[in-house]
Amino acid sequence: MSAAIAIGPADPRYPPRLLDLAHPPDPLWVRGEIAVPLERAVSIVGTRRATGYGLRVARELAAAAAAAGIVVVSGLAQGIDSAAHEGALERGRTVAVLGQGIAAYLARTNARRRRLAAEIVRAGALIAEYPPDAPAKDWTFARRNATIAALAEVVIVVEAPSDSGALITAAEARRLRRPLYAVPGPIGVAACAGSNALIASGEARALTGAEMLLASLGLASDGAVRRTDGDTGRILDALAASPLDPDALAKRLGLAAPALAQTLARLVISGEVRPCPDGRFARR
Amino acid sequence: MRDRAPIATDVIGESRSPTPEVKVRAVARVWACALWGLETALVTVEVDVANGLPAFVVVGLPDAAVQEARERVRAAIRNSGYEFPLRRVTVNLAPAERRKEGTGFDLAIALGILRASGQLAVDVEALCLGELALDGALRPVRGTMPRVRHALARGIAAALLASANAGEAAACGADAYGFGSLREAVDHVAGSARVAPTVAPAPAPPERPAVDLADIAGQETPKRALEIAAAGAHSLLLVGPPGTGKTMLARALPSLLPPLDHDEALAASAVHSVAGLVDPRHPLLRSRPFRAPHHTASPLALVGGGSPPRPGEVSLAHCGVLFLDELAEFSPSVLDTLREPLEERSITISRAGGAATYPARFLLVAAMNPCPCGHLGDPAVECRCLPDAVERYRGRLSGPLLDRIDLRVNVPRVPYERLRDEGRESSATVRGRVLAARERMAARLVGTARRTNAELTVADIRRWCRVDDDGETLLGAAIRERRLSARGYHRLLRVARTVADLAGSDQIRADDVAVALLMRA
Ligand SMILES: Nc1ncnc2c1ncn2[C@@H]1O[C@H](COP(=O)(O)OP(=O)(O)O)[C@@H](O)[C@H]1O
Ligand SMILES: [Mg+2]
């Protein structure tokens, strides 16, 4: 990986939207291939302790935005952030904003996110407002969350419990007058309490799908939601909310196990359904 | 060995001696049996009592325990009312090329000395096995069963042993005589007080399986996986929240397996004999072993070892089931030791005295929670684990171990109202299908040492795993899109073969491939 470079607010490569902040990061440390100004960007954030549904939605929204040429910004934490980066990497570019120095992050994160960080450097950039070896502190994450809001045109909270750091990003988005969306989640699930509260209070609009996200960025979606008929469509619908074990799936669809097995196997092979390590099945 | 006279005691008589100073020289021979792992070899204990300074030497590669036999035998002979010859006593364990271990040679050495010194007037025409206490009491030894069977195969029908081992020997078909002391054994051989041969103990009444499939509510997919595992001897991992019946399902597995046949019963019992775990009232196992070592078990307890070596749980589970409950709680280094037995179906413990090999052909069933708190995917309790913690938890299971698990299914929480559902299949019904499938497998593998689909070689797979057109399409897509490794491909076909066998089909159909794919996707 190339070394990080430091750019100041006067630098033409400095992302102009950061100047909206009361105290723009100076300098900004960047490591990656991307042209940093980030003309078109959306931030997708949420809890580390996400549900299977939240992870899928984050991935799908990010992929749709990236496919439309929008850079997806997030914080490279486990959970929703990682899902957003992964989704974006499938179709386009993404930027991760770290709450500590870039080298410090890479030195202490786990192998999986180190791999993810390497891919982000190739298809985007790692950004930090702290020198490479600066360690993480509580307040560095709070500032980072505000920076994520400032970098984007539109901010999306996928899932956030009521004490989530993602709510700092949401508050900053309001202050900076960035359009703020939250993905509605089920009542009674802790991971969705904070994001649902944003919708209830009117601070955020309820996001109902990738088309709405693209519309908020002034783009048309690349096509209608693909409709699949028959058992295939019914299986995908049944798995939309959360991963299921085959018995529950068969029961919900009123299908006999053998009839289900072949269709489900085909969906697994085509990659539309993903087997979980615990033996359940989830929508990709 | 067969062409030699089985039993002999040579007495070089005084009458032929040209000079009167030459005293009686006698070489006595008594049969014993050496044991390495489950490997056995007949040993001739040759005893020579010669003129010279009093000495007692054991040659023929004895290990430390056999060397110590000198002290036990000397004291036991004296304390039984005999004389220990105050001459030069040489004991040779022939053939001498391999190291002999353990205390099982004591009785043969003592009887040989008594015979060679003229205190026992007749030859000992039997296999002699047993450890002597200093007071002359005869103690049982481990490994009676394989040793007696070895002697039987070499035409030695009688065995003299400690009373506690006599049942084991009789169960193998030997004329077994059990004694409490050296004195009783001598009196029997001399004819002054003969004991009756031990009657072979009646086989144990068949054990009632711990759990019947009908006891378990819901869980159709896990039960199906259990049936497939039982039929093809495929290893199985059950994953689910606590209290959903994983342990129950695993304990129901023996109720689905075919009964032990005679060879299997002998093989499994022999391992138990070597481990010293034989029930003297019922020496021959009737039910398949079900071993469930705790997750704190040491590598030694799991795969065997030590000095003298003992078989571990993997070998005690030979011909049966090895159940690893709470799989993620086992230490990774302990799980790593399972690779060899899973791959080789045996375990070799190499040691200074030469390697000991124990059989380990077991059906592996394991259970674990999906995450550290146990509630990932549990509708009843919200999971509080961070994704990284879940990944670390699963990472404890090494790839090589997971790679050797054929089937993996989720065991979900059964809704309360379905705990009372009706119309569940009993183990007997499912076992009927398992037996029919096993017959199909056996017919295919006739003439080989393999019995089940889990053991199919790559050549077997090429020959026996023909897939119909729809199945080929599915399989082709799986190979392309999921980048199946060669190992993964063969495992898939073995399992699909079993699914087809359960359905009574010679061809593997798309449905069978799909089931195999979903249970190990
Ligand atoms: N599917 C089921 N059908 C009937 N009883 C069940 C079932 N699942 C759990 N139980 C009850 O709960 C107890 C605990 O089950 P167990 O097999 O030990 O669960 P686990 O190993 O998954 O934690 C059992 O002894 C049984 O009484
Ligand atoms: Mg349990």
Side-chain angles (χ1 to χ4, degrees), chain A residues 163-233:
Chain A
D163 59 352
S164 174
L167 299 181
I168 295 176
T169 306
E172 191 64 23
R174 296 271 297 163
R175 215 172 359 261
L176 299 172
R177 303 190 182 287
R178 305 275 190 266
L180 176 65
Y181 292 85
V183 174
I187 291 172
V189 172
C192 305
S195 39
N196 279 349
L198 288 175
I199 297 171
S201 67
E203 291 165 86
R205 293 182 62 194
L207 187 75
T208 56
E211 284 161 87
M212 188 172 178
L213 165 61
L214 294 175
S216 76
L217 292 157
L219 300 167
S221 85
D222 60 349
V225 180
R226 191 179 45 110
R227 278 260 37 107
T228 333
D229 301 319
D231 289 345
T232 304

Side-chain angles (χ1 to χ4, degrees), chain B residues 149-312:
Chain B
R149 283 179 57 205
H150 183 98
L152 275 173
R154 303 272 174 310
I156 302 170
L160 311 184
L161 330 89
S163 306
N165 286 146
E168 264 180 74
C172 298
D175 302 331
Y177 300 90
F179 309 103
S181 67
L182 174 62
R183 174 110 235 164
E184 288 175 25
V186 174
D187 289 346
H188 172 80
V189 175
S192 53
R194 295 196 67 88
V195 305
T198 301
V199 179
E207 237 170 73
R208 253 193 69 76
V211 180
D212 194 281
L213 226 45
D215 300 337
I216 304 170
Q219 311 298 17
E220 301 309 325
T221 298
K223 284 178 182 174
R224 185 85 203 284
L226 219 52
E227 176 176 342
I228 296 168
H234 302 291
S235 48
L236 168 66
L237 173 61
L238 303 163
V239 187
T244 53
K246 299 183 295 298
T247 300
M248 243 181 138
L249 283 157
R251 292 199 175 274
L253 186 52
S255 69
L256 305 183
L257 292 171
L260 271 185
D261 68 27
H262 186 64
D263 286 348
E264 286 179 317
L266 287 175
S269 304
V271 179
H272 283 69
S273 169
V274 171
L277 293 179
V278 166
D279 176 353
R281 290 163 308 153
H282 307 296
L284 270 189
L285 292 176
R286 274 287 291 278
S287 317
R288 291 191 181 273
F290 183 91
R291 305 292 303 188
H294 192 252
H295 57 73
T296 54
S298 66
L300 195 112
L302 202 59
V303 296
S307 187
R310 281 168 193 256

